[in-house]
Structures are given as structure tokens and as C-alpha cells.
Amino acid sequence: MNCPDCKHLLEVKNGKCANCGSDLSKYSWIVVSKVYPPSDIIIESLLKSCGIPVKIFRREIPQIPVNIGPLGEIEIAVPGHMLESALALLKNAE
């Protein structure tokens, strides 16, 4: 995967391109998977190990620690410009 700004091989450090410092958070994030624990940890680790930034969206309510049904669902999102790579990686991992 290449940085959308400098086109060099993308190495992510703190959400930025290590080469040019481009902030990857300015790109749109697209949900690639909706899962339940502990699958979220596995998918997040897989994507990050391949240099794909990940955002996790949880619906938990701190006062009610419930991980079932809609409250347990977790959405995993990646930057829009990395969508194809992330989907291919997840498909190969199945």
C-alpha cells in the first residue's frame, strides 16, 4: 500500500505516514467488518500488522457491562483509500 499523498510505501506511525507525515485521519473511514468480541482483537491485529490503520467503534455502555446482542457489536473501519487491501486481506484470512 502506498501513501495517498507521497505515493511511497506506506508505513504508519501514530496515524501518519512515516515518510511525509501526511495525516491519514483526513481520509474517510469505511466500516469493513461488524463483529463480536473477541473477533475484533484478531481482525484489528491482522490489519495493523499489515500497515492498515484501524478505528474501532463500540456501543458499550459503561454502567451496563453487556457484550451481547446489539450492545456487543463492534464495527471495524479503515481509511477509504485502503478499503480494497483491507477487504482482500480479510477474505484471505477466512
Side-chain angles (χ1 to χ4, degrees):
M1 290 163 268
N2 296 329
C3 173
D5 290 334
C6 69
K7 307 300 182 208
H8 283 88
L9 184 63
L10 185 62
E11 184 178 327
V12 180
K13 290 188 179 178
N14 298 326
K16 297 183 178 185
C17 173
N19 185 55
C20 69
S22 174
D23 185 10
L24 299 175
S25 66
K26 67 182 178 183
Y27 298 100
S28 64
W29 291 82
I30 300 172
V31 174
V32 292
S33 186
K34 292 181 181 181
V35 296
Y36 294 91
S39 297
D40 61 320
I41 297 169
I42 296 166
I43 294 172
E44 178 183 13
S45 298
L46 175 65
L47 292 171
K48 283 185 174 181
S49 71
C50 293
I52 300 174
V54 176
K55 280 190 180 180
I56 304 292
F57 301 102
R58 292 181 171 86
R59 290 186 175 87
E60 61 189 19
I61 301 170
Q63 295 82 5
I64 307 172
V66 178
N67 283 7
I68 57 173
L71 292 178
E73 187 175 76
I74 298 168
E75 294 179 341
I76 300 173
V78 298
H81 69 281
M82 296 183 162
L83 178 63
E84 291 179 26
S85 300
L87 291 175
L89 185 63
L90 292 175
K91 184 177 180 182
N92 289 336
E94 288 180 342

